[in-house]
Amino acid sequence: MDEKKYVDAAVEQFRSILEEQIARERKMESEKKYTDYKKLDKIIIGICGGDGIGPIISAESERLLEFILKDEIAKGKIELRTIEGLTIENRIAHNKAIPDDVLAEIKACNVILKAPTTTLKGGTLESANVAMRRELDLYANVRPVAVPDLDIDWAFFRENTEGEYVLGSRGVEIPDTLAFDFKVTTNEGTKRIARAAFEYARNNGKTNVAIVTKANIMKKTDGKFSELCHEVAKDYPEITAEDWYIDIMTANLVNERVRSNFQVFVLPNLYGDIITDEAAQIQGGVGTAGSANLGDEYAMFEAIHGSAPRMIEQGRGAYANPTSMFKATEMMLRHIGFADKADKLAKAMYHCLEVDKKYVITGRSDGATGREFSDYLMETIEKM
């Protein structure tokens, strides 16, 4: 094997990636576009069905939106658009994480409600989620987790466009020898997620932000992330900023003696991905949690679980739980200025899931179908 050939190719590849990432950071500094939903004549909501159980639970979310926003839709203030083509089959056929025509449809909307998509193991086809976050510059992944009975009220701010994920399909491999991937932390990318977390804390009466890294080991990238978060924290003197390592924080979330002390978390991409699934499990499982992906111009809201192809293979698709998509729908309504409707949806969800429990979804035929639960939820909202 000609190792020199592979080394030279890797060096050139790294040069190209380095120049690209420098340009991306410069672009973040210079290009800032903001969407003020209050000033829009019409808000366009794109709905992407995705893969596996995605089309089933997104259809229920669309029905829910048509019910909750029926007056606004009738007046032309809201438009719902179904976006086809974000399927694994179409993405493979075009060999693109998001085919160009699908991306154009997505960018023609103001906000996106997205069902789960399948990500292939191995190969070079990038995750549709990663691509969408990059293309729409959705730099803040926000995941709230609340369990009132356990005194848990957490808000996670996961950096969404950098870290290990931004170049996850572009690592270097020397055949039969080694492989390695890249991790990216930029100044502007870190400052804006930190500011989003601290702004949320200030606006919601929170007094503590946990900065979660592994800066003692990843000294350049995580070290920079921690340093820049503390720099931003100086603008929020009423809020305490604390450093935590990801391993001990993972343990803290299941430590009943200390976990209720935490309020807001800000984390690099990979750590945020992992720890928010743990937090969702404490809440009741990943099927109970929604996720917001926010940028200055666009926003995307999604279920945090996968596409569950096994449920489709076993003929159990009708029993898929739409709750995570409904949580995402609630977050979306709040984001675009319909807090009253979001509050009503949240109240109805709590009643249906925790109080009355007339329809319980188990994912199998011994429980309710997603359609039955959706109908019951809308009936509950109508009675409020």
Side-chain angles (χ1 to χ4, degrees), residues 48-52 83-106 117-118 120 125-126 128:
C48 298
D51 300 307
I83 298 175
E84 307 286 354
L86 200 65
T87 63
I88 189 62
E89 295 83 5
N90 193 42
R91 290 157 51 217
I92 289 173
H94 287 83
N95 194 31
K96 281 199 166 185
I98 306 176
D100 292 343
D101 59 334
V102 179
L103 182 59
E105 289 185 67
I106 289 171
T117 49
T118 296
L120 296 178
L125 186 64
E126 188 179 36

Side-chain angles (χ1 to χ4, degrees), residues 53 57 61 113-116 129 133 141-147 154-156 272-293 300-306 321-332 349 353-354 373:
I53 63 171
I57 60 177
S61 296
L113 184 62
K114 179 188 162 295
N129 272 4
R133 290 164 184 166
N141 182 262
V142 184
R143 296 185 181 182
V145 170
V147 189
W154 297 328
F156 294 87
D273 189 6
I274 295 169
I275 205 170
T276 51
D277 278 6
E278 181 195 18
Q281 194 65 33
I282 295 169
Q283 181 176 257
V286 294
T288 68
S291 174
N293 300 267
M300 183 264 284
F301 300 82
E302 62 180 339
I304 73 168
H305 56 71
N321 191 344
T323 302
S324 187
M325 283 292 285
F326 293 167
K327 292 278 190 179
T329 300
E330 177 204 329
M331 296 175 76
M332 184 194 71
M349 287 274 287
L353 291 169
E354 303 295 338
F373 182 82

Side-chain angles (χ1 to χ4, degrees), residues 64 67-68 70 330 333-334 338-352 377-378 380-384:
L64 180 63
F67 171 77
I68 291 177
K70 55 181 177 290
E330 177 204 329
L333 289 170
R334 213 173 291 284
F338 294 98
D340 55 338
K341 295 179 185 294
D343 289 341
K344 186 175 286 190
L345 174 56
K347 185 177 179 182
M349 287 274 287
Y350 180 78
H351 178 84
C352 294
L377 178 64
M378 286 185 277
T380 303
I381 293 172
E382 197 161 30
K383 292 175 183 178
M384 287 182 170

Side-chain angles (χ1 to χ4, degrees), residues 91-336:
R91 290 157 51 217
I92 289 173
H94 287 83
N95 194 31
K96 281 199 166 185
I98 306 176
D100 292 343
D101 59 334
V102 179
L103 182 59
E105 289 185 67
I106 289 171
K107 287 188 172 182
C109 301
N110 302 114
V111 292
I112 298 295
L113 184 62
K114 179 188 162 295
T117 49
T118 296
T119 301
L120 296 178
K121 296 179 180 178
T124 59
L125 186 64
E126 188 179 36
S127 157
N129 272 4
V130 173
M132 190 178 297
R133 290 164 184 166
R134 182 185 64 250
E135 293 292 340
L136 304 184
D137 200 20
L138 306 175
Y139 59 84
N141 182 262
V142 184
R143 296 185 181 182
V145 170
V147 189
D149 293 345
L150 300 178
D151 197 23
I152 289 173
D153 185 10
W154 297 328
F156 294 87
F157 282 75
R158 165 194 172 192
E159 201 293 315
N160 218 16
T161 60
E162 300 191 345
E164 294 83 354
Y165 287 21
V166 65
L167 298 170
S169 61
R170 296 171 63 185
V172 170
E173 183 173 6
I174 308 297
D176 301 319
T177 305
L178 60 84
F180 62 89
D181 289 310
F182 301 105
K183 178 172 181 174
V184 181
T185 300
T186 67
N187 281 32
E188 187 65 25
T190 302
K191 285 180 180 179
R192 64 185 186 176
I193 188 64
R195 196 162 299 282
F198 280 94
E199 279 292 311
Y200 173 88
R202 171 175 285 174
N203 294 336
N204 289 273
K206 307 299 182 182
T207 58
N208 182 280
V209 173
I211 303 163
V212 185
T213 66
K214 193 64 177 170
N216 57 332
I217 303 298
M218 308 298 291
K219 296 180 184 295
K220 296 297 184 185
T221 50
D222 286 14
K224 177 181 283 291
F225 190 93
S226 174
E227 177 186 341
L228 292 170
C229 284
H230 280 286
E231 183 179 318
V232 170
K234 293 176 183 177
D235 294 333
Y236 303 84
E238 77 278 17
I239 298 169
T240 300
E242 295 182 328
D243 275 305
W244 291 90
Y245 294 139
I246 182 61
D247 44 1
I248 190 61
M249 182 56 77
T250 304
N252 281 339
L253 293 195
V254 293
N255 184 337
E256 296 178 1
R257 292 184 295 105
V258 301
R259 64 186 180 187
S260 61
N261 296 331
F262 297 105
Q263 298 174 343
V264 181
F265 306 76
V266 59
L267 316 89
N269 207 331
L270 178 60
Y271 309 146
D273 189 6
I274 295 169
I275 205 170
T276 51
D277 278 6
E278 181 195 18
Q281 194 65 33
I282 295 169
Q283 181 176 257
V286 294
T288 68
S291 174
N293 300 267
L294 309 179
D296 294 328
E297 184 176 7
Y298 296 101
M300 183 264 284
F301 300 82
E302 62 180 339
I304 73 168
H305 56 71
S307 57
R310 188 176 300 173
M311 289 191 70
I312 300 300
E313 293 166 4
Q314 296 175 351
R316 296 188 287 117
Y319 298 95
N321 191 344
T323 302
S324 187
M325 283 292 285
F326 293 167
K327 292 278 190 179
T329 300
E330 177 204 329
M331 296 175 76
M332 184 194 71
L333 289 170
R334 213 173 291 284
H335 183 73
I336 62 176

